[in-house]
Amino acid sequence: MDAKARVKIGSFDRGGKSRDGAKADDHDYNPKTTVTPYGIFLPELDELFLYFTESKVTSDFIVDILEDFWLSEKHRFSDIQTLLLNQDNGPQNSSRRTQFMKRIVEFAHKHQVNIRLAYYPPYHSKYNPIERTWAILENHWNGNILDEVETALKFASTMKWKGNQPVVKLVHKTYENGVKLTKKAMAQIEKQIERLTDSTHEVFPNLGNWFIDICCSKTKVI
């Protein structure tokens, strides 16, 4: 899972070449709006799910799209008991982001599926397989003018990753930034997760910030 950089919507030159002779502005000071693509990528199946938002990418947004994905696709994975979520350790989905941890714990209990959060350390996001799909998207729509949100969605839906076109959705909900729990409330969340702080690895003896297990069978603490 990962977000791409925000994309400015307007008659702007994005680089690349076009055969239709379309004219574009050579600056992008006043875009109509901006959208952020957020992707869920299944490497073994080469399937990509893209969610676009004009709102901020917050903890609630991330868990909401994960839930949308799981509700629509879980029938294909009835034997899966644990979801392994590989992510960058960003500010909105960090294991120390209280609202994200609250929502992801609620997700595990609600859908009765175990969660393992596996974070890439700083400067290692290039190893996240979803990063390569962003390059394909950029190459696909470069040379074209993304003058409307619908245009960006259309180009995203027609790109291909190893022969497969992505599922593309626009999220209309507006999200509030800065939502967080009190220390007391977060203490209750910590009781429902397991940070891998007792690793015996010679180089990485403490992985508590990078690997977190959430077991849905544990009794939910209120």
Side-chain angles (χ1 to χ4, degrees):
M1 301 174 64
D2 193 22
K4 186 184 181 301
R6 292 189 72 83
V7 178
K8 294 180 179 180
I9 300 298
S11 300
F12 307 132
D13 178 10
R14 299 186 50 81
K17 296 181 179 180
S18 173
R19 295 182 178 181
D20 62 9
K23 295 182 179 181
D25 297 334
D26 60 0
H27 62 277
D28 54 3
Y29 298 138
N30 297 300
K32 292 180 179 179
T33 184
T34 59
V35 292
T36 302
Y38 198 99
I40 298 176
F41 180 54
L42 309 182
E44 292 187 4
L45 301 176
D46 287 321
E47 294 182 5
L48 179 63
F49 300 79
L50 297 178
Y51 292 83
F52 283 71
T53 179
E54 295 180 69
S55 183
K56 297 177 180 179
V57 173
T58 67
S59 301
D60 289 312
F61 168 82
I62 294 171
V63 179
D64 280 354
I65 66 168
L66 175 63
E67 185 163 43
D68 180 89
F69 161 80
W70 188 239
L71 287 173
S72 64
E73 303 298 325
K74 66 179 181 179
H75 66 279
R76 302 165 53 197
F77 308 108
S78 58
D79 58 334
I80 296 297
Q81 298 180 358
T82 300
L83 295 182
L84 171 62
L85 306 182
N86 292 100
Q87 308 173 88
D88 296 343
N89 196 28
Q92 298 298 338
N93 63 332
S94 165
S95 68
R96 301 297 178 181
R97 173 67 69 171
T98 59
Q99 180 65 7
F100 177 74
M101 296 308 296
K102 170 181 178 289
R103 288 294 311 278
I104 205 70
V105 166
E106 291 173 344
F107 175 92
H109 288 297
K110 177 179 179 180
H111 298 286
Q112 285 296 288
V113 61
N114 302 319
I115 300 288
R116 167 164 283 188
L117 302 177
Y119 292 98
Y120 291 91
Y123 310 110
H124 286 73
S125 61
K126 63 183 179 182
Y127 296 109
N128 190 339
I130 198 173
E131 292 291 345
R132 293 188 283 276
T133 70
W134 297 140
I136 298 298
L137 177 58
E138 278 293 342
N139 288 333
H140 182 63
W141 65 25
N142 272 0
N144 295 281
I145 297 177
L146 306 182
D147 55 348
E148 300 291 345
V149 173
E150 291 75 14
T151 307
L153 295 175
K154 178 181 178 180
F155 276 107
S157 65
T158 56
M159 69 166 276
K160 288 186 178 181
W161 173 262
K162 295 188 177 180
N164 296 326
Q165 292 180 321
V167 175
V168 177
K169 295 184 179 182
L170 177 63
V171 178
H172 296 280
K173 183 177 179 179
T174 299
Y175 289 88
E176 180 182 355
N177 207 6
V179 179
K180 59 183 179 180
L181 276 62
T182 64
K183 290 183 178 180
K184 182 178 180 180
M186 186 57 190
Q188 296 301 310
I189 297 298
E190 289 286 347
K191 293 179 180 179
Q192 301 176 72
I193 69 177
E194 181 181 359
R195 297 183 182 274
L196 305 191
T197 56
D198 299 321
S199 170
T200 58
H201 195 285
E202 294 180 359
V203 181
F204 306 108
N206 187 338
L207 299 177
N209 285 330
W210 311 108
F211 288 90
I212 293 89
D213 284 342
I214 304 169
C215 181
C216 66
S217 62
K218 291 183 178 179
T219 302
K220 187 175 180 180
V221 180
I222 304 300

